[in-house]
Amino acid sequence: ARRASTPPSSGAMPPRRTRSGSAPAASSGTTTRFFQRHSNVYAYVPNIIGYVRVLLAAAALRLALDDVPTSLALYALSFVCDELDGRVARMFDQCSEFGKLLDMVTDRLATTGLLMVLSREYPNWFFTCVSLVALDIGSHWLQMYAQLLRKKSSHKDVDDGSFFILRLYYTNRMFMGACCVGAEVLYLAAHAATDPRILAIAGPLAGALPAKVSVPLPAALGFGTELSVECASALGQLALVALPFWAVKQAANVAQLVTSCEALVAHDFPKRKRA
């Protein structure tokens, strides 16, 4: 009679061996799941990009006062990561609340660090830099808190009755991106201008623009006594292009601050519904 084979005691088939006697490589399913939505949010691809961005921004700020070109390159790479993480999150369906907060907090802290560097490089503009930090962090924090009280899914979910500039800022991704990039470019141009080698690079419109544009400012307000832009340099021309977008972003921050304060007051004292 043919002898019956005895199954393994564990009830599972033993792993198949290759000709060399070693077990075969693991299935690519694990790799596939890595690029899909899974339970380990910390290991989401966009969040890993976010960690890299934090390291790049920290290194850029560490070298800012010692090696301007390297700090500019590192900060630019961190800014690229900021653009990539959102796209990757949507591509792999790995959007998460942790990732959203990581992105926003990194935005605020990186800009704060850059403004603190500028306050060291331009002492007369110290109060201006501090004011910009307070406006940026304060308006975003109040907006987040007000939207949570109103059970909104995101601080970008603004009502139709909000300021036009705020609705345009949060509903038009290209407009918001242009404002954010413009603000960062303006700060980076000011930082780069502290390196004489970079400042000496002539811009393409050097002959068409005045060599220098100066705007006097009231010292009583705590700002620098004069706003000067070297228009002949590439940095000056870049700053002139970025300046309007920076101004719109600050206007959006002010609108955000006012709207969120009104929302908090309305939460404490809601309007009575008309009969």
Side-chain angles (χ1 to χ4, degrees), residues 5-258:
S5 59
T6 305
S9 58
S10 61
M13 294 296 292
R16 180 173 57 87
R17 298 279 175 175
T18 63
R19 291 184 179 180
S20 61
S22 60
S27 171
S28 61
T30 303
T31 304
T32 303
R33 286 193 297 271
F34 179 74
F35 294 101
Q36 296 176 348
R37 193 170 186 86
H38 51 81
S39 59
N40 190 1
V41 176
Y42 296 111
Y44 277 5
V45 178
N47 293 343
I48 293 175
I49 295 175
Y51 308 148
V52 174
R53 181 190 171 201
V54 170
L55 295 176
L56 288 170
L61 296 175
R62 172 63 181 83
L63 298 173
L65 299 177
D66 301 321
D67 189 345
V68 173
T70 302
S71 71
L72 288 171
L74 291 172
Y75 199 95
L77 287 175
S78 73
F79 203 74
V80 171
C81 290
D82 183 31
E83 174 62 23
L84 287 177
D85 58 5
R87 295 179 181 271
V88 172
R90 291 185 291 273
M91 181 188 302
F92 297 146
D93 189 26
Q94 292 186 341
C95 298
S96 63
E97 294 301 320
F98 173 77
K100 292 177 184 178
L101 266 294
L102 175 65
D103 181 66
M104 192 185 77
V105 170
T106 306
D107 284 343
R108 305 282 74 75
L109 294 182
T111 302
T112 296
L114 185 55
L115 283 168
M116 292 299 96
V117 170
L118 292 178
S119 71
R120 287 281 304 274
E121 295 172 332
Y122 301 92
N124 290 337
W125 292 88
F126 173 79
F127 182 75
T128 305
C129 293
V130 172
S131 300
L132 289 171
V133 169
L135 175 62
D136 191 35
I137 293 181
S139 64
H140 279 85
W141 192 90
L142 285 171
Q143 177 75 358
M144 282 285 298
Y145 191 77
Q147 296 299 74
L148 284 174
L149 285 178
R150 301 166 73 181
K151 302 187 185 305
K152 296 285 188 177
S153 59
S154 170
H155 71 286
K156 300 178 181 179
D157 186 8
V158 294
D159 296 331
D160 294 336
S162 302
F163 288 102
F164 171 76
I165 187 68
L166 191 60
R167 286 187 282 114
L168 181 63
Y169 183 78
Y170 277 134
T171 58
N172 190 313
R173 290 183 57 84
M174 291 187 63
F175 180 77
M176 181 177 68
C179 293
C180 292
V181 171
E184 294 294 315
V185 166
L186 182 64
Y187 298 150
L188 290 174
H191 174 48
T194 60
D195 189 316
R197 298 167 298 176
I198 304 177
L199 184 61
I201 300 174
L205 302 177
L209 296 174
K212 184 178 180 180
V213 173
S214 300
V215 178
L217 297 173
L221 296 178
F223 297 98
T225 56
E226 184 182 71
L227 174 62
S228 300
V229 178
E230 299 286 344
C231 300
S233 67
L235 286 177
Q237 295 174 20
L238 188 62
L240 288 176
V241 174
L243 186 60
F245 297 101
W246 169 86
V248 172
K249 179 170 171 50
Q250 306 317 309
N253 281 342
V254 172
Q256 182 172 243
L257 180 66
V258 173

